[in-house]
Amino acid sequence: AERANAERALLELRARRDARAIARGVLERPRESSTDGQFHAARCFRDATLRDWGAMRADEREECRAFALRWTLDAEGAARAVRNQMTACCATLVKRAAVDADDATKMATLGACEREVRAKMESSNGESDAETMGLEVFAAIVSEFAPGTASELGTTWERHEGCRASAEKHFLKPFFAHGCEAARRCVETGRVSDGSDRGACAAALRLMNAVLSWDFNRDVSYGFRGRAFPSSESAANAFVKLTPGMEWRDVLLNPGALDWLFDLHAGAESAVLAGGGVEAKRVAAASRKTLSALCTLSGCVFPPRDADDSLRQGHFVRCARAIAKYLLPAATSVRAALEGHGEDALIDGCRSMSALALVHDANDFASLSLGPELNERTALDLLGELTLECLNQDALSVQCEGTVTDDCLKMLLEAWASLVNKGMSAPGGVETAVPSAVLEGAANISHAYVVAGLKAAREGAHEEDDGHEEEGQAGAAALDARLELAAQVLRAHPTTTLPTLQHVLVEKRNSLPACMASGQDPSELLEELWWLTRLAAHVLADDGDGETPIPPDSLAAASAATAPGAPNCVVELARALIDFGCLALDANARGALSPRLLETVVWALARWADTYLIPEDSGGSLHAAVYAAAGGVRRGADIANKLSENGGGMFSERNGGVEALDALVQIGVKALSDWPGETSLQKTIGFVLFPVLTRRKTLLKHLVNMPSWDALRQACAGAHRERGVVAFPPEVHRGLSECVGRVAASVIDPAQCEAYVNALITPPGEVIAAVSVDREGLHHPEGEARACAALEALRGVVRSTNGKSQPAVFNFFVAAVDHLLNLQTLAKDLGRVMKLLLRLTEEFVEANSPYLNAQQVDWVCRYCLRVVETYAKSGRGAVKSEAGALLSQEAVKEAYKEVRALLRMLTHMSSGNLHDAIIESAPPDQAAALAEQIDIARVVFAGLNAVIPLITDELLKFPKLCRQYFELLAYMLEAYPKKVAQLAPDLFGTLMSTLEFGLKHADETVSKESMTALGALATFQCNSAKTQTIGLGAHMAPNAEGVSILAHLMRLLFHRLVYEEAVFNLVDEAADALLPIILHERPAFQNLASAFISAVADEPRSVDLLQNAFVALTSANGLAEGVDRVNKRRFRRNLADFLTVARGVLRTR
């Protein structure tokens, strides 16, 4: 209660008109308040100043900024947290002043800040920490001007972007020079070594780091440097390339510019190792961060390599030498990190090495000496020693997951991956060979990685949990991310690493049956095979998610370079993987395969097959195109020619691909039948292996005639009988049916295709027909399970719909419509069945819409309307607000899924596919009349009328459902405004009530969609008034307050924009909605303006500010009558300026 009262008091204080004066009073009398009181006063002063900014005079704004800086410099005895808060406050106010200022005024403001700092330093004769705090303020200003770390200022993104561009162009470099000067001065005067600088050196380095953390972007007037993107998605290596441009060369690269920094870093690290104090550790940490940032330096700041590469190479050597000095010997630095007193140094060093590898050439690592003091060693030696030491310290073990060695190993492997991938240049670049020293080093690291991984697997076999099952998909994804990284290194020298991996895999595989026969504990061997199989899959193929899978370039090159008749390392490893999977087909050996191991084998085979099995790019032309785009035209052509000479490579259509495809199908079918109850294995087969085998036409044409595939078809059909030959979860039925259904696209004869689809869809259809007339059987657990399995199977068939199978699928639904609707009626108290029925209908509409004719569209519309009406009559989804607390969360969740499926169904109906189907299938002279007769919009609105009462407060708490509804509403109001005008008054009123709800909703997407919907409706009415047509007609009648619906929503939207928090992200959409309303509802707008002005009638200055703001809102920037695109852009700027003033004036009332 005490805390709640305190929080309430703070909120009340911040809402007061005089909050700024009260907070300043508390700050000016520190002895009369506690540290907590001062902290909250500092925060209150900042928030109140930003709130009042629009209503303040220029001198008042300047005084607030000056007070914040003056207090920060003077309050040396204040708590650090309070000074940090005031430092941030000062930076925020400088940024806020810059938002409305030109470049000259911005520089004047920064100059005033610097003069105040210098004046304080001079007046104190070095006895205060004014210099340190001034540097802290400047660092905070840099962070405040960076978009990624900017504070909410109550202005638009466009203004923030203007500040960013101005900072980058005018004062970012002077700030960096100022930090360099301050830090060097501290070093030269010896104040760092004796600690008398009062933290100024560390603060100067932090200012430099703030500048070096800047995301340099494209600026048309300042030259293109390229955007700095994160180098990878790895959390361990989260840095961006530093691309400041050639104008920074003098302060970053010129001889002697930063030599003092490297000397400072070396001295600080030595002081820390010698047991230095807190200040030495602070300087060492700050200098390491600066060094890490310099390692990311890239782009045109370096001279062109063909002109003068000495600056870049010199910078590389200085950075690598600095890292080597404090990380070598690697055993010492890694041991210190494991003991807990060198973690930051090791992590920063590894991150810096990864950055250097990303930016610089592999030849730099291999050939450039780091100097005699390091025995002429190279950066490659440093990288290799660090990597091997991390592996030797068991970085791959489960116990080390998330530790410093794990994180460092990830970064070091990223460095190796960057180096070995240098052979494939960027688009438009020149292909270069990776130095042999780098490839040999990668091979050594690969061997060590396999040895360490097998050791970790053996140790993990005796753990109760290996860390991945417990974490579920996230744990598996994390492991795959690590293996994917290692795979890039293992591919660097495939002729060495792949035979080693194949040999180990075959050896372990051959040992498994003997181990099982002897009665020994197979745990360690199974775990080793599990890990090896997963690693081999990553080495052979990339994920390929969202892309056309092609072999990794190094493996493709190795295959092409293999002499005829010689062993192909890529093919041999793939054969070993397939042979391992074929253990499932051997009745005497399959008992050795645990379900978990078989699941990984199936996953690995699917990953391999997606890239290599009968590829459409059998001649290597796609690989050649990729190389050509990257500048490697000759190399790409060589690979393509050599692959073509060999019939497209192993496992192509002519070289064993069909046999391998048959083997994979057999493995999948056998795993489904002989490992019953293993849900995870079955899901891997249904949603990973078979989807890969049915993704390409080159595979489909062979599957359709395979006996093994026919066995899968029979298994799917038999699973729907009461005593099926196989049994698996309902969702697996969906996956398998979808895969089997895809093969129909390869059946040439239409009659055979129809027979194929009917054989697949009839068994689940028979189940639906049976349970739809047997209420008692349906409500029995076995009957419900059969119904769910049948519905999931139908969903799979529907998802696989293509041009050839669509007629058979559609005819089935026409014949089964009564059964489906009867089942929907009987299943009103069976949540699982109802959810699947609605999802089936939704997916049926989506999958069939591209293939329908006008008559079929009419049938679909009537069917969907019956589904919605049947659902509404069933009472499901009608979750009443007052009863929500009594309902279980499960019931609410079921209602959410069902109502969302209905909304998605209506969304698919409203898409253009159905309308286009009517137009395209009818004669040109009858198309318009037929489209009017088959009124899709009427059906959608009727469906909404039935669904809206079901969308209760409990369901609107689910963001996906809420967004789904308002996206549909926005689309319908944009696409069919005339149909909206023709709606019955009660339905129109219902839609407007939900629109009002959306305009007030806290979710940004919901608010934006609602504003888009309002804008479409208002634009329709505004244009109708211009053309003197009826528009919304009677729907515009005044309400009880005497205003139209548009005027009412305008008032509501203005109130939200003026009084609520975080509204500037909505300005563009709000402006587009408000402009047509203002143009059409002039009197209502004037009344609204008068109401706002009357709220401040007792303050003449506020009245003037608001009056001028309202005038500018409708006239500034050349705003004219009309809702064209140019006028909308102008009004957006006007509204942003209006809100800056209006919020400052009205939110203090």
Side-chain angles (χ1 to χ4, degrees):
E2 184 176 348
R3 177 176 179 176
N5 292 334
E7 292 176 348
R8 190 181 307 109
L10 284 173
L11 292 175
E12 291 174 355
L13 170 62
R14 293 184 185 183
R16 292 181 55 161
R17 293 184 60 189
D18 56 350
R20 181 160 41 95
I22 294 174
R24 181 167 178 170
V26 173
L27 291 168
E28 289 175 337
R29 295 185 294 275
R31 296 182 179 179
E32 300 178 13
S33 59
S34 64
T35 299
D36 288 344
Q38 287 186 307
F39 179 86
H40 289 296
R43 180 70 187 188
C44 181
F45 179 79
R46 173 189 177 279
D47 293 345
T49 303
L50 291 177
R51 180 195 65 191
D52 301 342
W53 192 268
M56 294 167 64
R57 299 190 303 273
D59 59 323
E60 292 175 328
R61 298 172 179 175
E62 176 60 22
E63 171 56 26
C64 287
R65 186 218 39 96
F67 167 75
L69 178 59
R70 187 168 58 249
W71 191 96
T72 303
L73 298 176
D74 291 342
E76 189 169 355
R80 187 67 186 179
V82 182
R83 296 189 83 182
N84 288 344
Q85 186 65 245
M86 286 301 289
T87 298
C89 174
C90 182
T92 302
L93 297 184
V94 169
K95 168 73 174 292
R96 186 63 187 85
V99 165
D100 304 317
D102 56 22
D103 289 340
T105 306
K106 293 172 188 173
M107 294 302 295
T109 301
L110 295 173
C113 292
E114 185 175 1
R115 286 192 298 273
E116 291 176 35
V117 173
R118 292 190 181 278
K120 179 63 179 178
M121 290 169 53
E122 294 171 358
S123 64
S124 64
N125 295 320
E127 296 300 322
S128 76
D129 62 353
E131 181 180 14
T132 302
M133 295 311 301
L135 291 166
E136 296 281 8
V137 169
F138 292 151
I141 290 174
V142 173
S143 297
E144 193 62 57
F145 273 77
T149 50
S151 301
E152 172 66 44
L153 298 180
T155 188
T156 61
W157 174 88
E158 185 180 9
R159 301 292 180 85
H160 281 285
E161 177 61 19
C163 287
R164 182 210 61 79
S166 178
E168 186 173 325
K169 184 175 181 180
H170 292 294
F171 62 80
L172 211 56
K173 186 178 176 183
F175 266 147
F176 183 80
H178 178 71
C180 288
E181 179 188 353
R184 181 186 291 190
R185 187 168 57 247
C186 292
V187 173
E188 293 174 349
T189 57
R191 291 190 295 152
V192 178
S193 55
D194 60 17
S196 62
D197 68 335
R198 306 175 73 92
C201 183
L205 290 172
R206 284 193 289 273
L207 172 58
M208 295 168 60
N209 292 339
V211 175
L212 294 177
S213 299
W214 189 268
D215 185 9
F216 287 90
N217 205 338
R218 185 180 189 276
D219 182 46
V220 176
S221 63
Y222 204 41
F224 177 70
R225 280 78 55 103
R227 185 171 178 80
F229 287 107
S231 61
S232 74
E233 295 181 357
S234 168
N237 196 12
F239 61 82
V240 296
K241 287 184 179 181
L242 178 63
T243 56
M246 64 181 67
E247 61 277 359
W248 284 73
R249 194 175 296 164
D250 57 334
V251 295
L252 293 176
L253 295 176
N254 279 357
L258 292 178
D259 289 349
W260 62 270
L261 173 64
F262 293 99
D263 294 338
L264 172 65
H265 173 262
E269 292 292 350
S270 299
V272 171
L273 292 175
V278 174
E279 188 58 31
K281 293 179 180 178
R282 186 179 293 122
V283 172
S287 61
R288 272 200 316 272
K289 297 296 183 186
T290 310
L291 174 61
S292 295
L294 291 174
C295 289
T296 67
L297 194 61
S298 178
C300 62
V301 66
F302 296 117
R305 300 192 180 190
D306 54 356
D308 180 15
D309 206 22
S310 60
L311 277 182
R312 187 193 61 78
Q313 291 182 343
H315 174 76
F316 170 82
V317 170
R318 285 193 297 273
C319 290
R321 183 191 299 129
I323 299 168
K325 283 183 177 180
Y326 75 90
L327 287 187
L328 290 179
T332 302
S333 57
V334 174
R335 192 179 308 112
L338 291 173
E339 292 171 356
H341 53 79
E343 291 188 15
D344 291 342
L346 183 61
I347 290 174
D348 287 341
C350 293
R351 182 180 291 113
S352 299
M353 290 298 295
S354 187
L356 287 174
L358 182 73
V359 172
H360 295 274
D361 292 341
N363 195 55
D364 297 333
F365 271 76
S367 61
L368 294 181
S369 169
L370 301 185
E373 55 189 318
L374 293 171
N375 299 321
E376 304 298 339
R377 302 179 74 179
T378 63
L380 189 65
D381 296 328
L382 169 62
L383 182 61
E385 185 173 335
L386 285 170
T387 309
L388 290 175
E389 186 59 33
C390 287
L391 288 171
N392 291 337
Q393 294 296 333
D394 297 330
L396 295 181
S397 68
V398 175
Q399 291 82 0
C400 288
E401 188 171 343
T403 64
V404 60
T405 52
D406 182 32
D407 291 340
C408 289
L409 180 61
K410 292 176 189 175
M411 291 184 280
L412 295 170
L413 289 176
E414 284 171 352
W416 281 106
S418 297
L419 294 179
V420 300
N421 289 329
K422 296 290 184 181
M424 189 72 170
S425 66
V430 178
E431 183 182 348
T432 59
V434 178
S436 59
V438 173
L439 298 179
E440 292 168 2
N444 292 334
I445 296 299
S446 300
H447 176 74
Y449 189 91
V450 172
V451 172
L454 290 173
K455 179 186 176 184
R458 289 193 299 271
E459 294 173 351
H462 302 291
E463 298 289 332
E464 292 185 3
D465 176 59
D466 69 355
H468 306 300
E469 283 85 355
E470 187 176 283
E471 297 172 10
Q473 293 183 350
L479 174 64
D480 284 335
R482 289 194 289 272
L483 292 178
E484 184 69 46
L485 193 57
Q488 296 182 56
V489 184
L490 270 78
R491 296 172 189 158
H493 205 279
T495 54
T496 300
T497 55
L498 266 63
T500 300
L501 195 58
Q502 177 223 345
H503 173 74
V504 177
L505 181 61
V506 172
E507 179 187 0
K508 301 293 181 183
R509 181 255 193 205
N510 292 338
S511 302
L512 185 58
C515 177
M516 298 294 293
S518 65
Q520 300 177 29
D521 182 5
S523 300
E524 291 187 0
L525 185 56
L526 289 173
E527 204 64 31
E528 286 178 318
L529 282 167
W530 185 91
W531 185 84
L532 277 171
T533 302
R534 213 159 185 94
L535 176 63
H538 280 284
V539 172
L540 285 171
D542 290 316
D543 183 22
D545 187 20
E547 300 177 356
T548 301
I550 59 174
D553 58 282
S554 61
L555 302 192
S559 294
T562 302
N568 184 324
C569 59
V570 181
V571 171
E572 294 303 316
L573 181 57
R575 278 179 174 160
L577 200 59
I578 296 173
D579 288 343
F580 190 18
C582 286
L583 281 180
L585 305 179
D586 186 346
N588 298 321
R590 71 172 66 111
L593 291 174
S594 68
R596 178 172 176 267
L597 178 57
L598 181 57
E599 179 185 344
T600 295
V601 173
V602 169
W603 173 88
L605 290 172
R607 186 182 179 105
W608 166 82
D610 203 21
T611 299
Y612 294 93
L613 185 58
I614 315 182
E616 293 175 337
D617 179 41
S618 58
S621 56
L622 179 59
H623 221 105
V626 173
Y627 271 108
V633 179
R634 179 189 56 76
R635 183 180 180 187
D638 289 345
I639 291 176
N641 292 335
K642 291 179 180 179
L643 289 176
S644 297
E645 291 171 3
N646 196 28
M650 193 60 190
F651 302 111
S652 63
E653 197 166 15
R654 290 176 289 168
N655 287 339
V658 178
E659 292 78 7
L661 173 62
D662 186 41
L664 264 58
V665 174
Q666 291 184 51
I667 291 170
V669 174
K670 183 60 68 174
L672 287 173
S673 60
D674 283 32
W675 276 265
E678 296 296 337
T679 303
S680 183
L681 171 60
Q682 293 168 346
K683 288 183 178 180
T684 302
I685 295 168
F687 294 107
V688 180
L689 176 62
F690 286 149
V692 165
L693 301 184
T694 56
R695 191 171 292 158
R696 297 194 299 270
K697 294 180 180 180
T698 52
L699 297 172
L700 295 179
K701 68 180 183 180
H702 295 289
L703 285 173
V704 70
N705 296 317
M706 278 186 180
S708 57
W709 190 255
D710 188 61
L712 176 63
R713 290 172 53 197
Q714 296 300 326
C716 290
H720 294 291
R721 306 187 187 103
E722 290 190 20
R723 298 184 181 275
V725 291
V726 293
F728 23 79
E731 59 269 25
V732 177
H733 282 280
R734 180 178 74 246
L736 295 176
S737 294
E738 182 175 359
C739 294
V740 175
R742 286 177 184 169
V743 180
S746 65
V747 181
I748 299 176
D749 183 69
Q752 292 181 357
C753 180
E754 183 179 4
Y756 181 95
V757 176
N758 287 337
L760 176 62
I761 205 170
T762 298
E766 291 174 348
V767 174
I768 297 299
V771 297
S772 67
V773 295
D774 184 4
R775 178 182 179 83
E776 184 177 348
L778 176 62
H779 285 72
H780 189 278
E782 182 180 339
E784 182 180 359
R786 292 184 64 215
C788 290
L791 289 169
E792 288 282 25
L794 291 177
R795 289 180 66 196
V797 177
V798 164
R799 287 182 173 192
S800 68
T801 301
N802 54 68
K804 291 185 176 181
S805 64
Q806 188 272 334
V809 173
F810 186 85
N811 290 337
F812 167 81
F813 272 83
V814 172
V817 60
D818 291 331
H819 297 310
L820 291 169
L821 291 172
N822 288 342
L823 179 59
Q824 186 177 351
T825 302
L826 293 180
K828 64 180 182 179
D829 52 352
L830 298 176
R832 290 175 61 203
V833 177
M834 182 64 75
K835 177 189 69 175
L836 294 177
L837 266 169
L838 297 177
R839 286 188 172 177
L840 173 63
T841 307
E842 168 217 329
E843 291 167 352
F844 168 75
V845 175
E846 180 183 18
N848 280 263
S849 58
Y851 310 105
L852 301 177
N853 57 38
Q855 183 179 2
Q856 292 171 333
V857 169
D858 184 41
W859 185 90
V860 168
C861 289
R862 288 185 283 107
Y863 169 56
C864 291
L865 191 55
R866 290 180 66 186
V867 169
V868 175
E869 292 172 346
T870 303
Y871 182 81
K873 292 177 183 177
S874 71
R876 292 192 60 82
V879 182
K880 298 182 179 179
S881 301
E882 61 272 13
L886 303 177
L887 296 174
S888 68
Q889 289 297 317
E890 191 64 30
V892 175
K893 190 174 182 180
E894 285 181 1
Y896 148 70
K897 292 179 179 179
E898 294 164 9
V899 174
R900 183 165 181 249
L902 290 174
L903 288 173
R904 287 174 60 86
M905 180 189 71
L906 295 174
T907 301
H908 294 319
M909 289 184 63
S910 66
S911 68
N913 284 337
L914 296 185
H915 182 269
D916 293 343
I918 299 173
I919 300 299
E920 293 170 2
S921 63
D925 57 334
Q926 302 176 16
L930 192 58
E932 188 67 25
Q933 179 183 346
I934 307 173
D935 194 344
I936 299 173
R938 181 187 63 81
V939 175
V940 174
F941 281 124
L944 281 175
N945 193 33
V947 171
I948 288 173
L950 307 177
I951 305 177
T952 59
D953 293 342
E954 284 78 7
L955 297 186
L956 287 171
K957 293 176 183 177
F958 293 91
K960 289 184 179 179
L961 183 144
C962 200
R963 292 172 185 171
Q964 183 79 48
Y965 171 75
F966 285 100
E967 287 172 3
L968 174 59
L969 181 64
Y971 175 80
M972 294 302 294
L973 266 61
E974 279 188 288
Y976 302 104
K978 291 183 179 180
K979 301 291 184 182
V980 176
Q982 298 169 8
L983 294 177
D986 57 343
L987 178 53
F988 181 85
T990 300
L991 291 178
M992 293 302 102
S993 297
T994 61
L995 183 59
E996 181 174 342
F997 174 88
L999 292 172
K1000 297 185 291 186
H1001 202 279
D1003 185 275
E1004 185 176 312
T1005 301
V1006 171
S1007 295
K1008 287 183 176 181
E1009 293 292 349
S1010 302
M1011 292 173 191
T1012 300
L1014 176 59
L1017 203 61
T1019 300
F1020 169 72
Q1021 178 64 17
C1022 186
N1023 292 335
S1024 297
K1026 285 185 177 181
T1027 58
Q1028 297 183 350
T1029 52
I1030 190 170
L1032 294 177
H1035 297 313
M1036 287 293 290
N1039 59 14
E1041 298 177 350
V1043 296
S1044 68
I1045 182 62
L1046 292 182
H1048 169 71
L1049 295 177
M1050 175 183 66
R1051 182 174 59 186
L1052 182 149
L1053 189 50
F1054 261 111
H1055 273 269
R1056 176 175 184 182
L1057 293 173
V1058 170
Y1059 291 110
E1060 292 189 14
E1061 300 290 343
V1063 297
F1064 277 90
N1065 289 339
L1066 307 174
V1067 165
D1068 288 355
E1069 289 77 11
D1072 292 349
L1074 289 172
L1075 177 60
I1077 301 179
I1078 291 174
L1079 294 176
H1080 184 264
E1081 299 280 349
R1082 285 287 189 182
F1085 173 70
Q1086 292 170 358
N1087 292 336
L1088 177 66
S1090 299
F1092 276 127
I1093 293 172
S1094 63
V1096 294
D1098 56 336
E1099 296 181 9
R1101 185 166 179 274
S1102 296
V1103 170
D1104 289 341
L1105 286 171
L1106 270 184
Q1107 285 178 338
N1108 294 335
F1110 272 109
V1111 171
L1113 176 62
T1114 55
S1115 61
N1117 293 315
L1119 189 69
E1121 296 283 335
V1123 288
D1124 55 277
R1125 182 171 298 180
V1126 174
N1127 227 31
K1128 285 182 178 181
R1129 284 202 299 266
R1130 292 169 179 168
F1131 188 72
R1132 289 176 180 180
R1133 291 193 292 269
N1134 290 358
L1135 182 60
D1137 294 337
F1138 167 81
L1139 291 178
T1140 299
V1141 176
R1143 288 168 64 85
V1145 173
L1146 293 168
R1147 294 180 76 214
T1148 60
R1149 306 300 295 177

